[in-house]
Amino acid sequence: MPRFRDTSINAQPSNAPKERFLDPKNRVRTDADGEKQLLEKAEKDNVITAFDRAVAQHPQCQFGYQGICCRFCIQGPCRIKAMEGPGSRGICGATAYNIVARFVGVAVAIGASSRSEHGKHIAHTLLEVSEGNYEDYQITDPDKLKRVAKRLGVETEGKDDLKIAYELANVAMEDFGNVGTKESNWLNSMLPEPRKQKFKETTIMPKGIGNTITDQLAAIHMGMDADPVNNIFSALRTSLSDLNGMTIASEFSDILFGTPTPSVTDANFGVIDEKQVNIALHGHNPLLSEMVVKAAREMEDEAKSAGAEGINLFGICCTGNEVLMRQQIPLATNFGTQELVITTGAVDAMAVDVQCINPGVSEAAQCYSTKLITTDKLAKIPGSYHVDFKQDKAMECAKEIIKVAIDAYKDRKGNVEIPEYKNKLVAGFSVESIEQILSSVNSDSPWKVIVDAIEAGEISGIGFLIGCNNAKGWQDQNHIEIAKEMAKNNVLMVSTGCAAGSYGKYGFLNSDAIEKYAGDGLKKFLGRLNDSADLNEDLPLIFHMGSCVDNSRIVDLIIRVANEMDVDIPKVPVVGSAPEAMSPKAVAIGSYFLSLGVPVHVGAMPPLEGSTMVYSIATQIAHDVFGGYFILETDADMGAKKIMQALDYRTWKLDVHKKTAEKYGTSLAREY
Ligand code: BF8
Ligand code: SF4
């Protein structure tokens, strides 16, 4: 069977570039009433947001859009202007495939650097805690500490938690710091054997996170690696170093702050409360936001003496997801509408740490009494207040942030308008908590519950929905349309990042959504889990697994299912989608899922179309080598169709292999 059963579908996108930026003159690029209300208010208040800037940028340069503009040296910019002759090359002789492949390399390197900086920050904190420093932090989940330590080969018997943490943190430090002398400890501890073998054979097993990223950047310097296949392989190696760093980030965050369990809160602008001191927590790293949550609980009285009813914290983007997962802090919104939160006029402070913070929030904040507070030396924004966050005075910094917010509350200018919309959500689905739910059905082999449901055709597979918002499309629309189709087609869905933010806002993360959107099989499956698990709250349609670094949890989940089936990952009926991908981190994440052997749909076109060769490697050849590949399709309906066909291909193939094994009395082939 071909990869898409419907032979009218292929690896090419269904629409031409000019058809992809829908309704380009319309700045109201959303269907949500709350967002429309705030866009109207922004216009009245003369606030320029990403929605206005997206329209102003249109039409975007087509050389850049296709990835055939190079500025890697200052002989450039060079553009590929012709099919042949001197105009078909940059000044140095770089071809379209060189320029496009180098973009992939640089995007993955930026993504992996961001994640590894985040992971390193947390690993360093655990190391200091283990040495008795950073007294505001503790080991909150010693069981997870021991589980991770054992997996990494750290002896736990007869040692106290701090000693184990010290040794484990040093194993992590070795992954960050080794200079190409040793393969990744983390990846070797977590990947199934056949994948490790594949990564060794194809030479993409990273050795040292920092080392892999610097090698990657060296390779794409002008006059270096001009072999596009070599370029792509080194980008994949770098993407695996991204997985290395982000798994450390997730696991050490759980050890320090607790492993999430399902709990209830709300999402959407309605979580902002006019009567309280409102503080938005935005960015990615939980080291600061966890402290702000603690400090806020201690400083309620100060807010009350300023005339407020209390302190109201809410999240944006992945810091939002971190405190949502562990501290039940409600989520106001995701990436695309971060500036609109400020236009409510009710936000007293927005405290940001790292990544995905639009510099535009500063301009918006200056139109109201909102204090924008930056906290990281790597992410300062002109026009903001800076608290120099250090872990050895973490609570002091957190309290300073809250003081600034309380003062801003006293100066609030009025002009407040908060859309009342909010939806209940159930979040906190760590792999551990999912396993516990599955154990209520089958305590001996919890993951068999999913495998059995796939084999019985009750669910059609596992789908993960991840990634950002992208202003080229309509806010959240691709997320919603694709999830609806997957639900209707009985896909068991998990989500992270800003995708999960969309689902929270739109009411997909509660049990009512099952009734509304799920097909019969999925309803039956989730109903069975609900009946047997002892939960305070019914399960939602989509399991929110956390922030973007928690894509490592999705990897863990897929590996557990693969192990249960006793096959390599490419054989598992699983498909991913980043319906509104935006960030270079998304490129890195998509690339490691591809290497792991998973088809990944991307609903915003990355700049690859300028090279047929690179485009084909990403969308087709990768499948032969790794079992994973990209489905690049911006149209939501067609995207959903391709996603379902990719899943169909996997279940079909698995079935063929199973029948063959039964017929010949052999075991199931692990290969794909
Ligand atoms: O890391 S999903 S817009 S916030 S990059 Fe950024 Fe994309 Fe959101 Fe979280 Ni992930
Ligand atoms: Fe032009 Fe080559 Fe320099 Fe790129 S590296 S800007 S293609 S000369």
Side-chain angles (χ1 to χ4, degrees):
M1 171 171 127
R3 202 142 33 94
F4 300 114
R5 198 188 282 266
D6 175 351
T7 48
S8 67
I9 293 178
N10 58 40
Q12 292 301 319
S14 65
N15 49 19
K18 63 177 185 308
E19 293 160 11
R20 295 180 199 153
F21 197 107
L22 302 173
D23 202 2
K25 293 210 166 88
N26 181 8
R27 74 184 264 281
V28 187
R29 310 178 64 71
T30 170
D31 279 332
D33 291 333
E35 281 151 17
K36 284 187 194 162
Q37 187 182 336
L38 287 176
L39 279 169
E40 216 171 281
K41 183 169 190 292
E43 196 172 16
K44 234 175 25 208
D45 295 351
N46 284 322
V47 180
I48 293 172
T49 72
F51 287 79
D52 305 287
R53 295 187 296 265
V55 170
Q57 284 296 330
H58 189 78
Q60 290 172 312
C61 163
Q62 285 304 301
F63 290 104
Y65 186 81
Q66 293 180 44
I68 44 174
C69 167
C70 180
R71 290 175 298 127
F72 274 26
C73 86
I74 46 185
Q75 295 185 95
C78 297
R79 295 164 301 167
I80 303 300
K81 297 197 274 191
M83 296 300 283
E84 48 194 40
S88 67
R89 302 272 199 274
I91 293 170
C92 64
T95 59
Y97 61 65
N98 291 140
I99 296 173
V100 172
R102 287 194 304 212
F103 157 77
V104 178
V106 81
V108 174
I110 294 171
S113 307
S114 313
R115 296 293 182 208
S116 77
E117 188 277 331
H118 172 162
K120 194 178 59 183
H121 206 167
I122 292 174
H124 175 69
T125 305
L126 184 65
L127 182 61
E128 291 283 342
V129 169
S130 75
E131 291 178 311
N133 304 321
Y134 293 176
E135 57 191 26
D136 294 331
Y137 298 92
Q138 292 85 34
I139 291 168
T140 304
D141 190 344
D143 291 340
K144 180 137 192 179
L145 169 71
K146 291 187 190 94
R147 280 200 305 278
V148 177
K150 274 188 195 144
R151 202 189 73 222
L152 268 299
V154 172
E155 185 55 63
T156 57
E157 280 309 308
K159 288 182 193 158
D160 68 16
D161 291 346
L162 291 183
K163 176 88 172 104
I164 299 169
Y166 176 80
E167 290 180 20
L168 181 64
N170 274 306
V171 180
M173 287 306 178
E174 191 179 42
D175 270 1
F176 287 111
N178 96 62
V179 289
T181 47
K182 193 173 177 215
E183 279 182 357
S184 163
N185 295 316
W186 242 258
L187 296 183
N188 265 316
S189 78
M190 60 192 259
L191 295 175
E193 268 319 310
R195 272 301 97 176
K196 281 194 245 178
Q197 212 42 52
K198 173 66 76 182
F199 294 164
K200 285 172 202 201
E201 277 164 16
T202 49
T203 72
I204 65 165
M205 184 65 109
K207 293 180 178 172
I209 297 171
N211 178 65
T212 305
I213 296 170
T214 36
D215 277 4
Q216 168 73 72
L217 289 172
I220 55 181
H221 186 277
M222 79 81 56
M224 283 286 281
D225 194 4
D227 175 342
V229 176
N230 204 35
N231 275 165
I232 297 298
F233 275 74
S234 72
L236 295 180
R237 188 180 310 116
T238 307
S239 78
L240 288 172
S241 77
D242 184 43
L243 175 61
N244 194 160
M246 80 164 66
T247 309
I248 294 172
S250 293
E251 294 189 328
F252 283 16
S253 295
D254 284 355
I255 291 167
L256 286 168
F257 306 119
T259 303
T261 52
S263 55
V264 183
T265 180
D266 294 305
N268 216 338
F269 297 115
V271 304
I272 305 172
D273 180 357
E274 185 170 2
K275 299 199 186 82
Q276 301 198 58
V277 174
N278 286 307
I279 305 175
L281 300 170
H282 181 11
H284 283 79
N285 194 325
L287 285 175
L288 169 67
S289 50
E290 280 282 334
M291 294 300 121
V292 177
V293 173
K294 249 197 211 167
R297 287 173 185 153
E298 288 177 19
M299 291 173 74
E300 281 279 320
D301 287 344
E302 288 179 41
K304 285 181 184 153
S305 2
E309 284 185 0
I311 298 171
N312 181 40
L313 301 177
F314 52 86
I316 302 176
C317 288
C318 285
T319 289
N321 286 322
E322 294 280 351
V323 288
L324 169 76
M325 292 285 283
R326 297 193 184 87
Q327 304 293 347
Q328 297 77 51
I329 300 296
L331 187 79
T333 196
N334 47 359
F335 173 78
T337 46
Q338 54 184 286
E339 288 148 287
L340 292 186
V341 171
I342 295 174
T343 64
T344 59
V347 180
D348 302 301
M350 179 183 274
V352 303
D353 49 83
V354 289
Q355 302 168 24
C356 299
I357 304 141
N358 275 353
V361 288
S362 175
E363 227 178 295
Q366 286 165 41
C367 298
Y368 302 91
S369 49
T370 309
K371 290 277 177 295
L372 174 66
I373 306 170
T374 56
T375 58
D376 193 290
K377 65 179 188 306
L378 299 182
K380 293 188 177 180
I381 304 175
S384 63
Y385 185 97
H386 188 74
V387 170
D388 188 16
F389 173 65
K390 294 271 186 298
Q391 297 102 304
D392 58 359
K393 50 180 180 82
M395 274 302 270
E396 200 184 307
C397 293
K399 286 183 178 168
E400 190 182 342
I401 288 169
I402 292 174
K403 279 206 189 85
V404 172
I406 294 174
D407 285 345
Y409 172 83
K410 291 186 208 153
D411 293 340
R412 213 190 262 175
K413 289 182 187 144
N415 187 16
V416 169
E417 186 182 327
I418 304 168
E420 62 192 13
Y421 311 96
K422 62 178 175 186
N423 270 305
K424 183 172 108 174
L425 69 87
V426 187
F429 291 90
S430 56
V431 168
E432 289 85 342
S433 64
I434 295 176
E435 185 171 86
Q436 203 178 351
I437 293 164
L438 298 172
S439 303
S440 68
V441 178
N442 184 341
S443 55
D444 294 334
S445 316
W447 299 96
K448 194 163 180 305
V449 176
I450 294 180
V451 176
D452 287 348
I454 295 173
E455 286 180 358
E458 187 174 53
I459 55 174
S460 45
I462 303 164
F464 57 90
L465 295 147
I466 60 175
C468 325
N469 296 127
N470 189 315
K472 283 176 179 163
W474 281 39
Q475 169 80 17
D476 298 325
Q477 200 183 50
N478 270 14
H479 287 304
I480 299 308
E481 292 311 317
I482 284 170
K484 276 187 190 165
E485 275 306 301
M486 285 170 113
K488 194 167 87 190
N489 287 291
N490 301 309
V491 180
L492 174 63
M493 290 176 285
V494 299
S495 184
T496 57
C498 288
S502 300
Y503 301 127
K505 290 191 298 178
Y506 277 78
F508 281 57
L509 301 185
N510 57 46
S511 58
D512 293 349
I514 300 178
E515 254 336 287
K516 260 197 199 148
Y517 303 113
D520 289 343
L522 183 59
K523 265 188 201 155
K524 225 165 120 194
F525 177 77
L526 293 172
R528 195 161 61 251
L529 297 186
N530 265 327
D531 290 345
S532 50
D534 183 21
L535 297 164
N536 297 330
E537 191 64 39
D538 275 351
L539 290 169
L541 175 67
I542 303 173
F543 294 173
H544 186 334
M545 295 189 76
S547 65
C548 264
V549 293
D550 294 329
N551 283 320
S552 63
R553 299 190 202 274
I554 297 180
V555 171
D556 186 5
L557 181 146
I558 296 170
I559 289 173
R560 286 172 197 238
V561 174
N563 289 345
E564 178 60 46
M565 293 169 70
D566 198 21
V567 296
D568 192 8
I569 297 173
K571 223 165 177 170
V572 178
V574 58
V575 61
S577 175
E580 301 179 16
M582 170 282 301
S583 144
K585 291 177 289 173
V587 182
I589 292 168
S591 302
Y592 74 60
F593 273 117
L594 174 150
S595 318
L596 288 169
V598 180
V600 183
H601 162 252
V602 183
M605 184 58 71
L608 301 182
E609 288 173 290
S611 161
T612 311
M613 180 194 286
V614 179
Y615 188 93
S616 310
I617 293 174
T619 58
Q620 299 182 84
I621 296 164
H623 179 243
D624 301 331
V625 183
F626 295 105
Y629 56 94
F630 284 118
I631 300 167
L632 306 176
E633 177 59 62
T634 68
D635 180 80
D637 289 343
M638 185 53 90
K641 208 179 257 179
K642 290 182 176 180
I643 288 168
M644 289 315 303
Q645 297 233 341
L647 215 43
D648 177 37
Y649 177 77
R650 291 211 158 189
T651 29
W652 167 81
K653 200 168 196 181
L654 184 65
D655 194 47
V656 170
H657 284 202
K658 279 195 75 124
K659 283 187 179 138
T660 311
E662 272 159 30
K663 186 171 169 191
Y664 296 103
T666 59
S667 53
L668 185 64
R670 299 192 70 166
E671 280 301 313
Y672 51 98

